[in-house]
Amino acid sequence: MCFACGDEQANGLHLRVFAAEGVAVTAQFEVAAAHQGAPGLIHGGLLTLAFDEVMGSLQWMMRIPAVTGRLETDFLRPIPLGRTVHFAARCRGVHGRKLYHCAEGRLDGPDGEPVARASALFVEVRLDHFAKHGRAEEVQAVLDNPGDHRTLRAFEVNP
């Protein structure tokens, strides 16, 4: 049911994240009419959501459960509806429980025009954090059958 990566949300981003070289990932999504903010342009909050999802996927690669502690987005250019945003994110470093990530978004291809950048601090948490603060039955379902969880299938290593 994740709005960013799940298929169950009709107007979601439907992001698919792929492992890249090093501790890095790539992703892309088509900016649809449902993602509109200002007339004909993506809503900045949804672009920030995409960055959060893409950088958050680095934790799957690192096998570290973590939550977003801080996220900053720099909007460089307007992003029109009907265009594809390509993301590249990488881990810049780890210090104790803190994970530092950065990402960039480009239009119409990995070498396209840069339209936004983001940086984030993620904080490592224990798995019981999700059961305590989320819906325990959904957390248990993931723990019981991790291969059935959409987020795990959305993250492909060596596609």
Side-chain angles (χ1 to χ4, degrees):
M1 292 301 296
C2 178
F3 188 81
C5 69
D7 290 332
E8 297 83 6
Q9 299 285 346
N11 294 319
L13 303 184
H14 307 287
L15 284 169
R16 291 293 176 264
V17 180
F18 299 92
E21 191 170 326
V23 184
V25 296
T26 62
Q28 67 183 44
F29 86 96
E30 179 81 19
V31 182
H35 305 136
Q36 180 170 278
L41 301 173
I42 191 173
H43 188 286
L46 291 179
L47 182 61
T48 299
L49 164 68
F51 275 120
D52 187 42
E53 181 69 20
V54 172
M55 289 188 286
S57 296
L58 290 165
Q59 275 78 252
W60 287 101
M61 177 182 282
M62 301 167 73
R63 301 293 188 230
I64 299 172
V67 296
T68 310
R70 178 188 51 79
L71 173 61
E72 294 180 5
T73 304
D74 297 320
F75 303 96
L76 307 176
R77 305 262 186 283
I79 301 173
L81 303 180
R83 302 289 288 276
T84 301
V85 180
H86 292 256
F87 297 92
R90 65 183 174 85
C91 178
R92 293 178 43 212
V94 177
H95 182 72
R97 295 177 49 222
K98 296 178 181 178
L99 298 94
Y100 297 93
H101 302 325
C102 62
E104 184 174 62
R106 294 176 174 266
L107 275 186
D108 303 327
D111 297 321
E113 177 185 10
V115 290
R117 292 187 183 95
S119 61
L121 163 68
F122 285 81
V123 180
E124 182 178 3
V125 295
R126 293 168 33 117
L127 284 176
D128 63 359
H129 167 87
F130 300 103
K132 179 179 179 183
H133 299 287
R135 294 201 295 206
E137 63 276 7
E138 291 182 21
V139 173
Q140 191 58 51
V142 171
L143 294 173
D144 291 343
N145 296 299
D148 290 340
H149 186 53
R150 171 63 64 196
T151 303
L152 291 174
R153 285 200 311 268
F155 182 76
E156 298 182 25
V157 176
N158 300 321

